[in-house]
Amino acid sequence: KVGIGEVSPDSLLHITADSGQAQIRLQRSGAASNGNDYGRLYFESTTTLVGQISVARESAENDGYMWFATANSGTLTERLRIDASGRLLLRSGANASSNLAGGFHNALQVEGTSATSSSIAITRNSNDNNPPYLNLGKSRGTSIGSNTALQDDDPLGQINFNGSDGSDAFNSYASVRAYVDG
């Protein structure tokens, strides 16, 4: 067991800071081309790779993303990515320009090739008459957390039904919208 700032480590690596934050830094000393990893954490069981967390760059030196992978028979598959814009992308490929369902890159994107890999479920298990909720909220505020009153005819929320036209684009074919009725 190794202790850094800790005289009695209780794990293989135990870091303690008396003041401030206990930090670990992974730093690449040379420039890397796009898509190259800057740091990786591997998770192994004896000699079998079971998972990995990596940080890589997108198109610019300060445009990084973090991705999480799991392994099946030693082969890594990307399962989740947090991109430089802060979007949560489930499964690889969900950050491509062809995935602009709704006409823009969504903060949460799920992409798959079957019903189970391209669906989102909200389940509530409780012994009462309360359902699960999907809440859409709107404010006229201009900053995160602001709470400014809406005006007559402002849209409250929208659900779009989009389909591919075969030319690298998703078009909106139907929608459900709700508006303020002043």
Side-chain angles (χ1 to χ4, degrees), residues 96-119:
S97 61
S98 63
N99 297 315
L100 298 176
F104 50 90
H105 289 288
N106 298 279
L108 171 63
Q109 295 182 32
V110 178
E111 182 176 356
T113 57
S114 67
T116 57
S117 66
S118 58
S119 299

Side-chain angles (χ1 to χ4, degrees), residues 141-146:
T142 58
S143 61
I144 301 294
S146 62

Side-chain angles (χ1 to χ4, degrees), residues 111-161:
E111 182 176 356
T113 57
S114 67
T116 57
S117 66
S118 58
S119 299
I120 297 173
I122 302 172
T123 304
R124 178 174 178 161
N125 296 299
S126 60
N127 188 14
D128 54 34
N129 64 351
N130 295 310
Y133 295 90
L134 175 62
N135 296 305
L136 305 175
K138 170 72 171 115
S139 164
R140 278 196 168 248
T142 58
S143 61
I144 301 294
S146 62
N147 187 4
T148 304
L150 298 177
Q151 298 177 8
D152 190 27
D153 295 327
D154 276 354
L156 291 167
Q158 181 170 320
I159 301 171
N160 294 323
F161 300 88

